[in-house]
Amino acid sequence: MSKAKAQFEDLTERHREILTAILEDFIATAEPVGSRSLTRRRAVSVSPATVRNAMADLEEMGLLSAPHASAGRVPTVAAFRIYVERLAQRGRISSKDRELVQALSQQENRDLKTLLAEAGRVLSSVSRHASLVLMPAVDEVVFDSIEFMPLRENAVLTVFVAKSGLIQHRVVDVDFPVSRDELARMSNYLKSLLGGKVLAEVRQQILRSMADERSMADAMMRQALDLGQRVLGPRPPVEDVLVEGERTFLDQPEFADIAKMRRLLRAFEEKTLLLRLLDAAATRSIGSGAASRDETMVILGSDASVRDLQELAAVTATYATEDGSAGRLAILGPTRMDYSRVIPLVEMTAQALSDSLGHSGNGESTGS
C-alpha cells in the first residue's frame, strides 16, 4: 500500500472534504488558505471553528503547513500526492480547447518533427504551462528511403521516410562538394543497402559497410555511408526533446525569486534535467483517479530528487505510431497545477497524436 493511500484511508469524510477544498483553493490562488475564507469561498458545509479543528488535524498529519505563524495553511507535497491519487476529479475541457487539440489528429501528412512541435505548442497554449514532447523510440522503425538534396554550399537537407509513412527532416553539414546527381546516387545506394531493415539493423549494416574496403575505396559509397550514419545513427537524447512554454513559469508566484527562476530556465535550456524528471516517472510516479489511461502518470519533482526541479510536477502520457514505436509528451507546471484539467488535456493530445500518426489506439480521447 502506498503512503498516500494509507494516509487517505486515515482521513474521515470531513477531513477529505476540507482537504479537497483547501487544495482547490490553493491551486486557484497560490495563497495560504484560512478557515474563514475557506467557508466563504468554498461553501464548506461546516462552521469556521469546525474547519479550524480539521485543519489542525491535517497539519498534525503532515498534510498542511503554516508558512507564517499568523497566516493560513498551505498543502504539503504529501497532500498533493493524495489529491492526485485519490481526490482530483476529471475536469471538463472547453469546446475551443478540445477543437484545438483534436485538430492535430487531422494532420496526417506532415513531417514528424513539425507535427510534434505543433502538438507541444498547442498543449502549452491550452494548458498555460510548459510542454515537453519526446520523439518516438525509433529503433524498431522500418527504413523505406532517404533522400539527400543540396540546400546550400556544404549543407544537405536529408529526408528520412519510414515504411509507416513517418517523415523526418534534418540538415547536415558536409565537407565535400554537393551535386544533385551525386546525392541521388547516394540515396539510391542506401535504399538498396538498407531498405526493409529496422533502424537498429540499419546502424549495424552501416558500420559493417564502413569497415568494408570496397566501400571505402569508392568515394560515393564512403560519403553515402558517412551521411547515413550521421542521420540515422544514435543521437544525443536532448536532440529528441521538444520544449515549449517554459516562460509560463514567469507568471507563477512560486518562481518569483530571480535566482530560482534562473535555475529553472537553465534546466529547460539544458533539457537533461527534464529527461531525468520524466525517467523518474517510470518508477516513482503516481497513478491518478482522474486519468482514463493506465499509462498516464504524474510525477512530483520532490519525489524525483532532481535538483532545481523540486517545485515542479509533470503529467505524462504516451502516444504511438503506426509501426508501434512510442513517444511521450508531458505538461510541466508548479506542484499546485490543476490536475483535474491538465490530466485530460495530456491524454487528449496523446490520443490525437496517435490518430494522426496512424495508430488506432484504445485510449480515451474525450476528456469528459
Side-chain angles (χ1 to χ4, degrees):
M1 179 186 298
S2 71
K3 185 175 180 181
K5 183 176 181 180
Q7 284 183 299
F8 175 80
E9 292 180 353
D10 287 341
L11 297 174
T12 66
E13 283 300 320
R14 178 165 294 169
H15 283 142
R16 294 174 190 177
E17 176 191 9
I18 291 172
L19 181 60
T20 301
I22 292 169
L23 281 155
E24 292 178 351
D25 199 280
F26 184 68
I27 286 170
T29 67
E31 296 177 355
V33 182
S35 58
R36 193 168 298 277
S37 64
L38 189 67
T39 54
R40 184 172 65 249
R41 284 190 278 181
R42 289 286 170 181
V44 177
S45 56
V46 291
S47 68
T50 302
V51 173
R52 279 195 296 274
N53 290 334
M55 290 174 74
D57 294 340
L58 293 168
E59 186 172 0
E60 189 174 332
M61 296 170 70
L63 300 177
L64 298 179
S65 65
H68 306 289
S70 60
R73 300 295 183 266
V74 299
T76 63
V77 171
F80 274 104
R81 263 189 228 108
I82 291 175
Y83 183 69
V84 169
E85 193 172 281
R86 295 281 175 162
L87 298 175
Q89 300 297 308
R90 191 173 179 85
R92 296 188 66 83
I93 306 302
S94 72
S95 57
K96 180 181 178 182
D97 288 346
R98 184 189 301 274
E99 184 178 331
L100 286 169
V101 171
Q102 293 183 340
L104 294 168
S105 64
Q106 308 304 316
Q107 302 180 28
E108 298 179 354
N109 298 313
R110 298 186 68 178
D111 163 70
L112 175 63
K113 193 164 186 177
T114 302
L115 174 61
L116 297 184
E118 177 64 15
R121 282 191 291 271
V122 169
L123 193 55
S124 177
S125 174
V126 298
S127 69
R128 296 182 290 279
H129 292 302
S131 69
L132 196 66
V133 181
L134 277 66
M135 300 281 281
V138 295
D139 275 4
E140 298 306 313
V141 168
V142 178
F143 181 99
D144 182 65
S145 65
I146 188 166
E147 301 294 330
F148 300 131
M149 291 166 279
L151 186 64
R152 57 182 181 270
E153 186 178 0
N154 297 327
V156 173
L157 173 64
T158 67
V159 183
F160 165 65
V161 182
K163 281 286 187 184
S164 63
L166 293 181
I167 300 171
Q168 293 193 49
H169 293 167
R170 195 173 184 190
V171 176
V172 178
D173 293 327
V174 295
D175 57 2
F176 52 84
V178 290
S179 147
R180 190 175 295 274
D181 289 342
E182 280 294 296
L183 291 174
R185 287 182 62 207
M186 292 181 196
S187 299
N188 292 334
Y189 167 64
L190 289 179
K191 183 172 183 177
S192 66
L193 180 70
L194 307 173
K197 294 181 171 65
V198 298
L199 283 195
E201 296 171 329
V202 162
R203 290 166 183 154
Q204 293 174 2
Q205 180 62 58
I206 288 175
L207 290 175
R208 283 196 297 269
S209 298
M210 292 180 80
D212 189 304
E213 291 181 2
R214 290 171 301 172
S215 300
M216 290 301 96
D218 185 301
M220 182 279 295
M221 294 169 67
R222 184 175 66 251
Q223 291 166 351
L225 290 168
D226 178 63
L227 273 178
Q229 184 183 45
R230 291 168 64 189
V231 174
L232 302 173
R235 288 175 288 177
V238 293
E239 288 194 13
D240 294 331
V241 180
L242 306 175
V243 178
E244 188 73 32
E246 58 266 42
R247 293 194 175 274
T248 57
F249 286 97
L250 292 170
D251 299 326
Q252 305 296 340
E254 296 96 321
F255 302 96
D257 178 84
I258 292 178
K260 184 187 296 185
M261 190 69 222
R262 187 179 293 117
R263 288 194 299 271
L264 181 63
L265 291 177
R266 188 182 305 119
F268 272 89
E269 183 178 342
E270 294 174 355
K271 297 181 182 178
T272 51
L273 289 181
L274 303 181
L275 290 174
R276 284 177 55 196
L277 180 65
L278 292 197
D279 286 344
T283 56
R284 282 168 276 179
S285 56
I286 309 167
S288 176
S292 64
R293 296 158 49 123
D294 290 341
E295 64 268 31
T296 302
M297 306 301 285
V298 179
I299 179 73
L300 305 180
S302 55
D303 291 335
S305 301
V306 179
R307 194 168 72 86
D308 297 337
L309 302 183
Q310 297 289 302
E311 296 183 50
L312 264 63
V315 177
T316 178
T318 59
Y319 64 89
T321 66
E322 185 179 33
D323 53 28
S325 59
R328 282 190 292 170
L329 56 83
I331 285 177
L332 288 88
T335 302
R336 64 170 185 89
M337 65 180 163
D338 185 358
Y339 298 95
S340 63
R341 181 171 179 272
V342 167
I343 287 171
L345 277 176
V346 169
E347 292 185 330
M348 189 187 304
T349 306
Q351 186 62 46
L353 267 181
S354 295
D355 292 343
S356 179
L357 296 171
H359 180 85
S360 53
N362 298 316
E364 295 285 340
S365 61
T366 58
S368 301

